[in-house]
Amino acid sequence: MNTAEIRRRFLDYFAQRGHEVVPSAPLLYNDPTLLFVNAGMVPFKPYFTGAEAPPFNRATSVQKCVRTLDIEEVGKTTRHGTFFQMNGNFSFGDYFKEQAISYAWELVTGSTESGCLGFDPDTVWVTVLHSDDEAARLWAEVAGLPQERIQRRGLRDNYWHMGIPGPGGPCSEIYIDRGPEYGPDGGPVVDEDRFLEIWNLVFMQEELSEVRAKDDFDTVGDLPRKNIDTGMGLERVAYLLQGVDNLYEIDEVFPVIARAAELAGTGYGAKRADDVRLRVVGDHIRSALMLIGDGVTPGNEARGYVLRRLLRRTVRSMRLLGVREPVLNELLPLSSAAMKASYPEVEKDFDRISQIAYAEEDAFRRTLTAGTQIFDLAVRDAKSHQLSTLTGERAFQLHDTYGFPIDLTLEMASEQGLAVDEGGFRRLMQEQKDRAKADAKSKKAGSQGSEAYRQLRDRGTTPFTGYSELVTDSKVRGIVVDGQLAQTAGEGSTVEVVLEQTPFYAESGGQDSDAGVITADGVRLEVVDVQRPVKGLIVHRVRVLEGELRTGQDVLASVDAEWRLGACQAHSGTHVMHAALRQVLGPTALQSGSYNKPGYLRLDFAWPSGLSQDLRAAVEEAANQGIRKDLNVSATYMPLARAREIGALALFGETYDEEVRVVEMGGLWSRELCGGTHVQHSSQIGLVSLLGESSVGSGVRRVEAFVGIEAFRFLARERSLVLGLTDALKVQPDQLMDRVTKMVAQLKNAEREIAALRSKSVLAEVDSIVAKTHDMWGVGYIGHHAEGVGGGDLRTLALEIRSRVAQQPSVICVIGGTQEKPSVVVATTEGARYRGLNAGELVRIASETLGGRGGGNDDLAQGGGNDAGQIPAALKAVEYAIGHRVQS
């Protein structure tokens, strides 16, 4: 049974039973709280909330929906689709549970000859809310379901509400048993892959006053009229009735997948990676078709950005499948042909739809060609420096210069095992204009600096003497000032210096650069950084503390001995930690990046999930056992081929010369390619104290630790803290955890009680506040100074006031917070918004009067400032703005 036929049967069934057939609302529905329509009940929301009187008592529809939160999961699972269709039947104070259950049972299990769907009754299971005895009884009486196929679940699974105060109620979900090949027996509570949910019946019967979570809310009482809201996933029913495994293989999607596979020269079902990409293409093509059909055009914000992202993911997925030619002209017509039976308008409007889509593909293909090359360079650069994260600057460059959206950079970086500094990217976006000027200046200086480095490198490499000595006689080969070669550098300046030879270690291989001084007659330089901007050239960044430095001057380069000892301990500690991870977790836990400096190390490694407390303890134990064994540490130069032959570990993605340095600790226990400085025996590391473990990207984890004396100091601080707590709490150290746990539980209980009392106190004022409503040409204005009320309580107060006046055009402005930081919340009713009043605009007026900023949606917005003395003026400013608006 094709999807269009299932759709027709659903609508016909309910039309024959007195339901008004309501056409699907456009995906761009006029609801300020939604980007797109994301549920079948959205067009009926005003009827359920009581904001509008329904023009009919019962209705049915097949609603187009788009959900964007799961875009990353599309193609990876059988359930996540961007565009989907929700079949629904609705009752507004007409029939209730018994009739809804009867209708659903008949349509699901009735014969196909009678216009129903023909599912085997023996495959049907249902769930009900644990306390809904009535629904459980009705399923047994109406459908004849045995008790074992009527399962009870909690609020999280079987209660529905909108996430805000308003209507809610228990629900009953209908599942189909797909058979033992899909999972274990036992119903939905055991396995929701085998037992697939197809329909949710919501029995809307209660008024909610406060909603804190899916399963945490307060009820006022019963609704004056009980309503029915159901949602049947059309795609899920289709793939069950069509005998395929997932929603991507139904008749409305699979033709695109089949053609995409043909273009790529691959078979669907042959390789998992290819299948995921093909499913992404099938889903996104259909979603883009429907979005453009409903008026969305590609852009950089909100709805346009979602569409642009879908089209670009399609093109990129095809490129990953090896197709570099344009593809939308092949695939979009197939999607239109598959969807036209249900939505004839896509065929009628195909010229416009295709024109928009093809233009976006052309633009992105140009972007992809240039941007991918830059991205690949960025990845190679990051890996060559043993970094696991692309900088915010790199991500910004890809976006600003090459049009790469950040989500594409995130995806491509993840494929390379790298994270992206999203925080840095966002900051640069905020400062885009200033950054553009600074970036141009930086590039100019960098270009000049590169030329200076090249000239100095032409005179030879910089020999590194630091493996065998910390003090080296040398000579100044060159001075670089603002990217230009200079003959001198005066006292107080910060410049770059290249020596003929140096004991200073340049930052590389994860090891931070050395610290120390460079001296000559009457000259003293502090070394603040050491880098290798050009292969073979070591450049010291120095502050001239005394005298004047001259090119060609003889100098004495001296590394800080304590710094170098700490650096050696940290770098050797990193090797020890790497060996310990592989010892505990196995040989696949390979290093993917590191950073170490005196007293501290961090190491990134390949691993799919977080480490338990026991595993972290085992890794720390293995590392310190390796230190305790006083393993010999040696460094040997050998051909790269020989190093690989003896099993020396290399950092993935790093490039090496033909002659490499192999550092060993206890022979095979730790054998790695490494150019860093190390202790001579593992016992000289002293101690490694693991600080924590976290995720830094897909399949990459990070451990951090203190090393040497810093590890001892850290443990001493921990011991002092424990002793202080045991003394304060009058318990023994082994009793401390239990005592603190009990105290935390008591504190949380007290905080909940206080919050409940505070909320009651705040809401007790609502009636008196509402009584002071000021009418302004048909719009009620409620301006209130709620002294001392802040945070969520202020928002709750505004929402509660709005619920009391929801039937009239009203604006609520409440200001609370503290004297130092006043807060403001503005809420509007639907009638006020109809009169052109926007909460986001009004909250900005109030916040600016308070000396701050604010913003939000049309219906609810918040902000704040720093001048509580202006609260009366802020309330008056909002009042004035309302009057000006409603009179104009």
Side-chain angles (χ1 to χ4, degrees), residues 445 448-454 456 476-489 494-498 537 539-542 549 551:
Q448 293 171 332
S450 297
E451 176 60 23
Y453 300 148
R454 187 191 63 77
L456 293 171
V476 177
R477 179 185 297 178
I479 301 170
V480 180
V481 179
D482 294 332
Q484 300 289 334
L485 289 176
Q487 291 300 308
T488 62
T494 298
V495 300
E496 293 175 316
V497 174
V498 175
L537 191 72
V539 178
H540 311 74
R541 189 164 184 80
V542 303
L549 183 68
T551 298

PDB file of all heavy atoms in Angstrom, residues 445 448-454 456 476-489 494-498 537 539-542 549 551:
ATOM      1  N   ALA A 445      51.446  41.460   8.253  1.00  0.00           N
ATOM      2  CA  ALA A 445      52.629  41.259   9.108  1.00  0.00           C
ATOM      3  C   ALA A 445      53.170  39.854   8.931  1.00  0.00           C
ATOM      4  O   ALA A 445      54.366  39.624   8.876  1.00  0.00           O
ATOM      5  CB  ALA A 445      52.256  41.512  10.570  1.00  0.00           C
ATOM      6  N   GLN A 448      55.253  39.494   5.759  1.00  0.00           N
ATOM      7  CA  GLN A 448      56.585  40.078   5.906  1.00  0.00           C
ATOM      8  C   GLN A 448      57.461  39.202   6.790  1.00  0.00           C
ATOM      9  O   GLN A 448      58.637  38.993   6.524  1.00  0.00           O
ATOM     10  CB  GLN A 448      56.465  41.484   6.498  1.00  0.00           C
ATOM     11  CG  GLN A 448      55.785  42.474   5.568  1.00  0.00           C
ATOM     12  CD  GLN A 448      55.476  43.783   6.251  1.00  0.00           C
ATOM     13  OE1 GLN A 448      55.270  43.827   7.463  1.00  0.00           O
ATOM     14  NE2 GLN A 448      55.403  44.850   5.490  1.00  0.00           N
ATOM     15  N   GLY A 449      56.824  38.656   7.875  1.00  0.00           N
ATOM     16  CA  GLY A 449      57.580  37.806   8.784  1.00  0.00           C
ATOM     17  C   GLY A 449      58.076  36.561   8.083  1.00  0.00           C
ATOM     18  O   GLY A 449      59.201  36.121   8.293  1.00  0.00           O
ATOM     19  N   SER A 450      57.260  35.975   7.230  1.00  0.00           N
ATOM     20  CA  SER A 450      57.652  34.774   6.513  1.00  0.00           C
ATOM     21  C   SER A 450      58.864  35.030   5.638  1.00  0.00           C
ATOM     22  O   SER A 450      59.759  34.195   5.534  1.00  0.00           O
ATOM     23  CB  SER A 450      56.481  34.263   5.659  1.00  0.00           C
ATOM     24  OG  SER A 450      55.392  33.892   6.475  1.00  0.00           O
ATOM     25  N   GLU A 451      58.907  36.183   4.994  1.00  0.00           N
ATOM     26  CA  GLU A 451      60.056  36.525   4.150  1.00  0.00           C
ATOM     27  C   GLU A 451      61.317  36.667   4.996  1.00  0.00           C
ATOM     28  O   GLU A 451      62.400  36.206   4.608  1.00  0.00           O
ATOM     29  CB  GLU A 451      59.763  37.817   3.391  1.00  0.00           C
ATOM     30  CG  GLU A 451      60.928  38.335   2.549  1.00  0.00           C
ATOM     31  CD  GLU A 451      61.377  37.351   1.487  1.00  0.00           C
ATOM     32  OE1 GLU A 451      60.571  36.480   1.084  1.00  0.00           O
ATOM     33  OE2 GLU A 451      62.545  37.462   1.053  1.00  0.00           O
ATOM     34  N   ALA A 452      61.174  37.280   6.170  1.00  0.00           N
ATOM     35  CA  ALA A 452      62.341  37.425   7.048  1.00  0.00           C
ATOM     36  C   ALA A 452      62.837  36.057   7.509  1.00  0.00           C
ATOM     37  O   ALA A 452      64.053  35.796   7.538  1.00  0.00           O
ATOM     38  CB  ALA A 452      61.972  38.289   8.260  1.00  0.00           C
ATOM     39  N   TYR A 453      61.899  35.171   7.872  1.00  0.00           N
ATOM     40  CA  TYR A 453      62.293  33.829   8.316  1.00  0.00           C
ATOM     41  C   TYR A 453      63.000  33.088   7.178  1.00  0.00           C
ATOM     42  O   TYR A 453      63.986  32.369   7.397  1.00  0.00           O
ATOM     43  CB  TYR A 453      61.065  33.018   8.753  1.00  0.00           C
ATOM     44  CG  TYR A 453      60.281  33.619   9.896  1.00  0.00           C
ATOM     45  CD1 TYR A 453      58.895  33.442   9.965  1.00  0.00           C
ATOM     46  CD2 TYR A 453      60.899  34.350  10.902  1.00  0.00           C
ATOM     47  CE1 TYR A 453      58.157  33.985  10.996  1.00  0.00           C
ATOM     48  CE2 TYR A 453      60.166  34.901  11.947  1.00  0.00           C
ATOM     49  CZ  TYR A 453      58.787  34.720  11.987  1.00  0.00           C
ATOM     50  OH  TYR A 453      58.062  35.253  13.013  1.00  0.00           O
ATOM     51  N   ARG A 454      62.488  33.262   5.949  1.00  0.00           N
ATOM     52  CA  ARG A 454      63.096  32.561   4.815  1.00  0.00           C
ATOM     53  C   ARG A 454      64.535  33.005   4.615  1.00  0.00           C
ATOM     54  O   ARG A 454      65.436  32.172   4.381  1.00  0.00           O
ATOM     55  CB  ARG A 454      62.276  32.811   3.550  1.00  0.00           C
ATOM     56  CG  ARG A 454      62.744  31.991   2.346  1.00  0.00           C
ATOM     57  CD  ARG A 454      62.090  32.470   1.062  1.00  0.00           C
ATOM     58  NE  ARG A 454      62.456  33.838   0.746  1.00  0.00           N
ATOM     59  CZ  ARG A 454      63.654  34.181   0.217  1.00  0.00           C
ATOM     60  NH1 ARG A 454      64.576  33.263  -0.002  1.00  0.00           N
ATOM     61  NH2 ARG A 454      63.910  35.437  -0.053  1.00  0.00           N
ATOM     62  N   LEU A 456      66.566  34.174   6.854  1.00  0.00           N
ATOM     63  CA  LEU A 456      67.405  33.635   7.935  1.00  0.00           C
ATOM     64  C   LEU A 456      67.638  32.140   7.759  1.00  0.00           C
ATOM     65  O   LEU A 456      68.718  31.626   8.060  1.00  0.00           O
ATOM     66  CB  LEU A 456      66.759  33.919   9.287  1.00  0.00           C
ATOM     67  CG  LEU A 456      66.695  35.407   9.677  1.00  0.00           C
ATOM     68  CD1 LEU A 456      65.841  35.619  10.921  1.00  0.00           C
ATOM     69  CD2 LEU A 456      68.106  35.955   9.917  1.00  0.00           C
ATOM     70  N   VAL A 476      73.970  35.974  17.596  1.00  0.00           N
ATOM     71  CA  VAL A 476      72.703  36.440  17.031  1.00  0.00           C
ATOM     72  C   VAL A 476      72.805  36.446  15.508  1.00  0.00           C
ATOM     73  O   VAL A 476      73.562  37.218  14.927  1.00  0.00           O
ATOM     74  CB  VAL A 476      72.344  37.854  17.541  1.00  0.00           C
ATOM     75  CG1 VAL A 476      71.052  38.334  16.875  1.00  0.00           C
ATOM     76  CG2 VAL A 476      72.225  37.869  19.051  1.00  0.00           C
ATOM     77  N   ARG A 477      72.004  35.545  14.881  1.00  0.00           N
ATOM     78  CA  ARG A 477      71.985  35.493  13.419  1.00  0.00           C
ATOM     79  C   ARG A 477      71.089  36.587  12.855  1.00  0.00           C
ATOM     80  O   ARG A 477      71.381  37.172  11.808  1.00  0.00           O
ATOM     81  CB  ARG A 477      71.489  34.135  12.928  1.00  0.00           C
ATOM     82  CG  ARG A 477      71.410  34.017  11.410  1.00  0.00           C
ATOM     83  CD  ARG A 477      70.802  32.711  10.963  1.00  0.00           C
ATOM     84  NE  ARG A 477      71.616  31.572  11.364  1.00  0.00           N
ATOM     85  CZ  ARG A 477      71.301  30.299  11.129  1.00  0.00           C
ATOM     86  NH1 ARG A 477      70.152  30.026  10.499  1.00  0.00           N
ATOM     87  NH2 ARG A 477      72.092  29.317  11.521  1.00  0.00           N
ATOM     88  N   GLY A 478      69.973  36.849  13.552  1.00  0.00           N
ATOM     89  CA  GLY A 478      69.066  37.862  13.036  1.00  0.00           C
ATOM     90  C   GLY A 478      68.051  38.297  14.080  1.00  0.00           C
ATOM     91  O   GLY A 478      67.753  37.582  15.033  1.00  0.00           O
ATOM     92  N   ILE A 479      67.552  39.528  13.897  1.00  0.00           N
ATOM     93  CA  ILE A 479      66.512  40.094  14.756  1.00  0.00           C
ATOM     94  C   ILE A 479      65.329  40.452  13.865  1.00  0.00           C
ATOM     95  O   ILE A 479      65.506  41.087  12.815  1.00  0.00           O
ATOM     96  CB  ILE A 479      67.010  41.359  15.487  1.00  0.00           C
ATOM     97  CG1 ILE A 479      68.242  41.022  16.349  1.00  0.00           C
ATOM     98  CG2 ILE A 479      65.906  41.967  16.338  1.00  0.00           C
ATOM     99  CD1 ILE A 479      68.930  42.254  16.917  1.00  0.00           C
ATOM    100  N   VAL A 480      64.135  40.042  14.258  1.00  0.00           N
ATOM    101  CA  VAL A 480      62.928  40.329  13.490  1.00  0.00           C
ATOM    102  C   VAL A 480      62.032  41.235  14.327  1.00  0.00           C
ATOM    103  O   VAL A 480      61.630  40.876  15.443  1.00  0.00           O
ATOM    104  CB  VAL A 480      62.181  39.036  13.099  1.00  0.00           C
ATOM    105  CG1 VAL A 480      60.928  39.370  12.287  1.00  0.00           C
ATOM    106  CG2 VAL A 480      63.104  38.102  12.322  1.00  0.00           C
ATOM    107  N   VAL A 481      61.706  42.410  13.792  1.00  0.00           N
ATOM    108  CA  VAL A 481      60.838  43.379  14.472  1.00  0.00           C
ATOM    109  C   VAL A 481      59.655  43.678  13.555  1.00  0.00           C
ATOM    110  O   VAL A 481      59.856  44.160  12.432  1.00  0.00           O
ATOM    111  CB  VAL A 481      61.601  44.685  14.800  1.00  0.00           C
ATOM    112  CG1 VAL A 481      60.670  45.681  15.475  1.00  0.00           C
ATOM    113  CG2 VAL A 481      62.817  44.388  15.668  1.00  0.00           C
ATOM    114  N   ASP A 482      58.437  43.368  14.025  1.00  0.00           N
ATOM    115  CA  ASP A 482      57.226  43.598  13.224  1.00  0.00           C
ATOM    116  C   ASP A 482      57.342  43.002  11.830  1.00  0.00           C
ATOM    117  O   ASP A 482      56.981  43.621  10.823  1.00  0.00           O
ATOM    118  CB  ASP A 482      56.925  45.105  13.128  1.00  0.00           C
ATOM    119  CG  ASP A 482      56.562  45.706  14.476  1.00  0.00           C
ATOM    120  OD1 ASP A 482      56.024  44.954  15.335  1.00  0.00           O
ATOM    121  OD2 ASP A 482      56.818  46.905  14.679  1.00  0.00           O
ATOM    122  N   GLY A 483      57.898  41.775  11.759  1.00  0.00           N
ATOM    123  CA  GLY A 483      57.976  41.073  10.490  1.00  0.00           C
ATOM    124  C   GLY A 483      59.139  41.462   9.610  1.00  0.00           C
ATOM    125  O   GLY A 483      59.299  40.902   8.528  1.00  0.00           O
ATOM    126  N   GLN A 484      59.988  42.434  10.044  1.00  0.00           N
ATOM    127  CA  GLN A 484      61.105  42.909   9.228  1.00  0.00           C
ATOM    128  C   GLN A 484      62.431  42.627   9.927  1.00  0.00           C
ATOM    129  O   GLN A 484      62.517  42.674  11.154  1.00  0.00           O
ATOM    130  CB  GLN A 484      60.974  44.416   8.995  1.00  0.00           C
ATOM    131  CG  GLN A 484      59.692  44.843   8.285  1.00  0.00           C
ATOM    132  CD  GLN A 484      59.677  44.435   6.821  1.00  0.00           C
ATOM    133  OE1 GLN A 484      60.724  44.271   6.202  1.00  0.00           O
ATOM    134  NE2 GLN A 484      58.471  44.272   6.279  1.00  0.00           N
ATOM    135  N   LEU A 485      63.442  42.295   9.156  1.00  0.00           N
ATOM    136  CA  LEU A 485      64.782  42.134   9.721  1.00  0.00           C
ATOM    137  C   LEU A 485      65.286  43.476  10.237  1.00  0.00           C
ATOM    138  O   LEU A 485      65.082  44.512   9.603  1.00  0.00           O
ATOM    139  CB  LEU A 485      65.744  41.580   8.665  1.00  0.00           C
ATOM    140  CG  LEU A 485      65.531  40.112   8.261  1.00  0.00           C
ATOM    141  CD1 LEU A 485      66.488  39.733   7.135  1.00  0.00           C
ATOM    142  CD2 LEU A 485      65.746  39.193   9.463  1.00  0.00           C
ATOM    143  N   ALA A 486      65.918  43.441  11.411  1.00  0.00           N
ATOM    144  CA  ALA A 486      66.445  44.665  12.020  1.00  0.00           C
ATOM    145  C   ALA A 486      67.866  44.406  12.509  1.00  0.00           C
ATOM    146  O   ALA A 486      68.257  43.271  12.786  1.00  0.00           O
ATOM    147  CB  ALA A 486      65.546  45.107  13.172  1.00  0.00           C
ATOM    148  N   GLN A 487      68.637  45.481  12.644  1.00  0.00           N
ATOM    149  CA  GLN A 487      70.009  45.348  13.109  1.00  0.00           C
ATOM    150  C   GLN A 487      70.114  45.402  14.622  1.00  0.00           C
ATOM    151  O   GLN A 487      71.016  44.800  15.209  1.00  0.00           O
ATOM    152  CB  GLN A 487      70.885  46.465  12.499  1.00  0.00           C
ATOM    153  CG  GLN A 487      71.092  46.319  10.997  1.00  0.00           C
ATOM    154  CD  GLN A 487      71.769  45.007  10.640  1.00  0.00           C
ATOM    155  OE1 GLN A 487      72.823  44.659  11.188  1.00  0.00           O
ATOM    156  NE2 GLN A 487      71.149  44.249   9.737  1.00  0.00           N
ATOM    157  N   THR A 488      69.140  46.089  15.280  1.00  0.00           N
ATOM    158  CA  THR A 488      69.217  46.240  16.727  1.00  0.00           C
ATOM    159  C   THR A 488      67.820  46.143  17.344  1.00  0.00           C
ATOM    160  O   THR A 488      66.800  46.262  16.643  1.00  0.00           O
ATOM    161  CB  THR A 488      69.809  47.610  17.121  1.00  0.00           C
ATOM    162  OG1 THR A 488      68.937  48.655  16.626  1.00  0.00           O
ATOM    163  CG2 THR A 488      71.204  47.796  16.566  1.00  0.00           C
ATOM    164  N   ALA A 489      67.813  45.948  18.676  1.00  0.00           N
ATOM    165  CA  ALA A 489      66.557  45.956  19.447  1.00  0.00           C
ATOM    166  C   ALA A 489      66.858  46.613  20.778  1.00  0.00           C
ATOM    167  O   ALA A 489      67.765  46.180  21.509  1.00  0.00           O
ATOM    168  CB  ALA A 489      66.023  44.544  19.643  1.00  0.00           C
ATOM    169  N   THR A 494      59.898  44.071  22.561  1.00  0.00           N
ATOM    170  CA  THR A 494      59.694  42.625  22.424  1.00  0.00           C
ATOM    171  C   THR A 494      59.911  42.277  20.966  1.00  0.00           C
ATOM    172  O   THR A 494      59.222  42.813  20.078  1.00  0.00           O
ATOM    173  CB  THR A 494      58.277  42.219  22.871  1.00  0.00           C
ATOM    174  OG1 THR A 494      58.112  42.546  24.257  1.00  0.00           O
ATOM    175  CG2 THR A 494      58.053  40.727  22.688  1.00  0.00           C
ATOM    176  N   VAL A 495      60.871  41.391  20.708  1.00  0.00           N
ATOM    177  CA  VAL A 495      61.267  41.086  19.342  1.00  0.00           C
ATOM    178  C   VAL A 495      61.487  39.582  19.206  1.00  0.00           C
ATOM    179  O   VAL A 495      61.391  38.835  20.173  1.00  0.00           O
ATOM    180  CB  VAL A 495      62.565  41.834  18.966  1.00  0.00           C
ATOM    181  CG1 VAL A 495      62.368  43.338  19.074  1.00  0.00           C
ATOM    182  CG2 VAL A 495      63.736  41.385  19.848  1.00  0.00           C
ATOM    183  N   GLU A 496      61.788  39.162  17.961  1.00  0.00           N
ATOM    184  CA  GLU A 496      62.131  37.764  17.702  1.00  0.00           C
ATOM    185  C   GLU A 496      63.609  37.673  17.361  1.00  0.00           C
ATOM    186  O   GLU A 496      64.143  38.525  16.639  1.00  0.00           O
ATOM    187  CB  GLU A 496      61.282  37.210  16.556  1.00  0.00           C
ATOM    188  CG  GLU A 496      59.801  37.105  16.913  1.00  0.00           C
ATOM    189  CD  GLU A 496      58.941  36.669  15.742  1.00  0.00           C
ATOM    190  OE1 GLU A 496      59.160  37.198  14.624  1.00  0.00           O
ATOM    191  OE2 GLU A 496      58.077  35.820  15.947  1.00  0.00           O
ATOM    192  N   VAL A 497      64.249  36.641  17.889  1.00  0.00           N
ATOM    193  CA  VAL A 497      65.699  36.497  17.721  1.00  0.00           C
ATOM    194  C   VAL A 497      66.020  35.091  17.234  1.00  0.00           C
ATOM    195  O   VAL A 497      65.465  34.107  17.748  1.00  0.00           O
ATOM    196  CB  VAL A 497      66.440  36.743  19.057  1.00  0.00           C
ATOM    197  CG1 VAL A 497      67.934  36.454  18.913  1.00  0.00           C
ATOM    198  CG2 VAL A 497      66.222  38.184  19.517  1.00  0.00           C
ATOM    199  N   VAL A 498      66.879  34.992  16.230  1.00  0.00           N
ATOM    200  CA  VAL A 498      67.377  33.706  15.744  1.00  0.00           C
ATOM    201  C   VAL A 498      68.861  33.627  16.071  1.00  0.00           C
ATOM    202  O   VAL A 498      69.633  34.555  15.771  1.00  0.00           O
ATOM    203  CB  VAL A 498      67.167  33.569  14.219  1.00  0.00           C
ATOM    204  CG1 VAL A 498      67.801  32.284  13.704  1.00  0.00           C
ATOM    205  CG2 VAL A 498      65.681  33.604  13.886  1.00  0.00           C
ATOM    206  N   LEU A 537      64.283  26.152  11.438  1.00  0.00           N
ATOM    207  CA  LEU A 537      64.618  27.449  12.024  1.00  0.00           C
ATOM    208  C   LEU A 537      63.947  27.599  13.377  1.00  0.00           C
ATOM    209  O   LEU A 537      62.725  27.474  13.490  1.00  0.00           O
ATOM    210  CB  LEU A 537      64.169  28.576  11.097  1.00  0.00           C
ATOM    211  CG  LEU A 537      64.691  29.978  11.448  1.00  0.00           C
ATOM    212  CD1 LEU A 537      66.179  30.077  11.116  1.00  0.00           C
ATOM    213  CD2 LEU A 537      63.914  31.031  10.687  1.00  0.00           C
ATOM    214  N   VAL A 539      63.068  30.127  16.410  1.00  0.00           N
ATOM    215  CA  VAL A 539      62.908  31.561  16.629  1.00  0.00           C
ATOM    216  C   VAL A 539      62.508  31.801  18.082  1.00  0.00           C
ATOM    217  O   VAL A 539      61.543  31.214  18.582  1.00  0.00           O
ATOM    218  CB  VAL A 539      61.846  32.154  15.684  1.00  0.00           C
ATOM    219  CG1 VAL A 539      61.663  33.639  15.958  1.00  0.00           C
ATOM    220  CG2 VAL A 539      62.240  31.928  14.228  1.00  0.00           C
ATOM    221  N   HIS A 540      63.264  32.678  18.770  1.00  0.00           N
ATOM    222  CA  HIS A 540      62.997  33.010  20.163  1.00  0.00           C
ATOM    223  C   HIS A 540      62.264  34.348  20.239  1.00  0.00           C
ATOM    224  O   HIS A 540      62.727  35.330  19.645  1.00  0.00           O
ATOM    225  CB  HIS A 540      64.307  33.147  20.964  1.00  0.00           C
ATOM    226  CG  HIS A 540      65.266  32.008  20.775  1.00  0.00           C
ATOM    227  ND1 HIS A 540      66.005  31.861  19.609  1.00  0.00           N
ATOM    228  CD2 HIS A 540      65.616  30.984  21.590  1.00  0.00           C
ATOM    229  CE1 HIS A 540      66.771  30.785  19.721  1.00  0.00           C
ATOM    230  NE2 HIS A 540      66.555  30.235  20.913  1.00  0.00           N
ATOM    231  N   ARG A 541      61.158  34.373  20.933  1.00  0.00           N
ATOM    232  CA  ARG A 541      60.490  35.648  21.215  1.00  0.00           C
ATOM    233  C   ARG A 541      60.999  36.114  22.567  1.00  0.00           C
ATOM    234  O   ARG A 541      60.874  35.400  23.569  1.00  0.00           O
ATOM    235  CB  ARG A 541      58.976  35.479  21.228  1.00  0.00           C
ATOM    236  CG  ARG A 541      58.235  36.810  21.300  1.00  0.00           C
ATOM    237  CD  ARG A 541      56.769  36.653  20.915  1.00  0.00           C
ATOM    238  NE  ARG A 541      56.080  37.931  20.891  1.00  0.00           N
ATOM    239  CZ  ARG A 541      56.129  38.795  19.902  1.00  0.00           C
ATOM    240  NH1 ARG A 541      56.864  38.545  18.827  1.00  0.00           N
ATOM    241  NH2 ARG A 541      55.474  39.949  19.953  1.00  0.00           N
ATOM    242  N   VAL A 542      61.535  37.319  22.604  1.00  0.00           N
ATOM    243  CA  VAL A 542      62.217  37.784  23.814  1.00  0.00           C
ATOM    244  C   VAL A 542      61.778  39.198  24.183  1.00  0.00           C
ATOM    245  O   VAL A 542      61.339  39.969  23.323  1.00  0.00           O
ATOM    246  CB  VAL A 542      63.754  37.765  23.626  1.00  0.00           C
ATOM    247  CG1 VAL A 542      64.255  36.379  23.240  1.00  0.00           C
ATOM    248  CG2 VAL A 542      64.196  38.800  22.577  1.00  0.00           C
ATOM    249  N   LEU A 549      70.388  44.991  21.973  1.00  0.00           N
ATOM    250  CA  LEU A 549      70.829  43.781  21.283  1.00  0.00           C
ATOM    251  C   LEU A 549      71.203  44.129  19.849  1.00  0.00           C
ATOM    252  O   LEU A 549      70.515  44.910  19.197  1.00  0.00           O
ATOM    253  CB  LEU A 549      69.708  42.733  21.298  1.00  0.00           C
ATOM    254  CG  LEU A 549      70.056  41.380  20.672  1.00  0.00           C
ATOM    255  CD1 LEU A 549      71.082  40.636  21.511  1.00  0.00           C
ATOM    256  CD2 LEU A 549      68.782  40.537  20.502  1.00  0.00           C
ATOM    257  N   THR A 551      72.576  42.522  15.920  1.00  0.00           N
ATOM    258  CA  THR A 551      72.804  41.375  15.040  1.00  0.00           C
ATOM    259  C   THR A 551      74.292  41.073  14.998  1.00  0.00           C
ATOM    260  O   THR A 551      75.115  41.991  14.903  1.00  0.00           O
ATOM    261  CB  THR A 551      72.291  41.673  13.616  1.00  0.00           C
ATOM    262  OG1 THR A 551      70.881  41.898  13.673  1.00  0.00           O
ATOM    263  CG2 THR A 551      72.582  40.519  12.675  1.00  0.00           C
TER     264      THR A 551
END
